[in-house]
Amino acid sequence: MNINDNMKTLNELTNNSIERMTALGELNMKMAERMATRQMDLFGRWMEQGTKLMRVATEARGYSDLYKAQIDMTKEASEQVMAESKTNFELATETRDEYRAWYETTVAEMRKGGSLVEAAAKA
């Protein structure tokens, strides 16, 4: 191999590394956006629950009405938390799979790059 081949190999390895790091950055941003969206949705639901509780408290005719409304709201909130937990677990599983795919691709490219460096060193 001559100097041009070595430079071509070095440029290829550098470009591959930059592409992999860019892909990791994009994956991180996608995950951060997903989590921020989930958090904002959850915050909105809790704000709605607080507003509903205040409305119920002011409209209740007596303690028994307020107590019944609080029980109903607690049941609804529990169901939402369970649904949210399931959704978050699915999101975590997707995230794991996407990071695993990125990792496997990166390792395969590193092995390929190592082979290129070995071939260049032997030449």
Side-chain angles (χ1 to χ4, degrees):
M1 290 185 115
N2 61 28
I3 189 96
N4 287 335
D5 291 335
N6 287 339
M7 291 304 292
K8 182 179 176 184
T9 301
L10 180 62
N11 283 336
E12 183 180 331
L13 292 172
T14 301
N15 289 338
N16 286 343
S17 295
I18 290 171
E19 287 174 12
R20 297 309 325 143
M21 296 314 319
T22 301
L24 178 61
E26 290 171 356
L27 185 57
N28 287 337
M29 285 300 294
K30 186 169 101 174
M31 294 308 121
E33 288 172 359
R34 282 183 183 175
M35 291 306 295
T37 300
R38 304 289 317 148
Q39 288 174 345
M40 291 306 293
D41 289 346
L42 186 60
F43 182 72
R45 285 190 196 128
W46 288 115
M47 291 298 292
E48 289 172 11
Q49 286 285 338
T51 303
K52 186 176 178 181
L53 178 61
M54 294 304 292
R55 183 176 39 80
V56 166
T58 58
E59 294 174 357
R61 288 184 235 141
Y63 181 74
S64 61
D65 289 343
L66 178 60
Y67 184 70
K68 183 183 178 316
Q70 286 176 331
I71 290 173
D72 292 342
M73 288 178 61
T74 302
K75 180 182 175 193
E76 181 182 335
S78 297
E79 291 169 356
Q80 287 179 353
V81 167
M82 290 304 293
E84 193 67 29
S85 296
K86 182 179 177 183
T87 302
N88 287 336
F89 183 75
E90 291 168 357
L91 179 62
T93 301
E94 289 174 19
T95 301
R96 179 202 63 204
D97 294 344
E98 290 177 13
Y99 275 108
R100 179 178 287 152
W102 175 86
Y103 176 78
E104 289 171 355
T105 301
T106 300
V107 168
E109 287 185 4
M110 288 174 61
R111 287 184 180 141
K112 179 183 170 189
S115 299
L116 289 174
V117 170
E118 279 182 28
K122 288 181 182 178

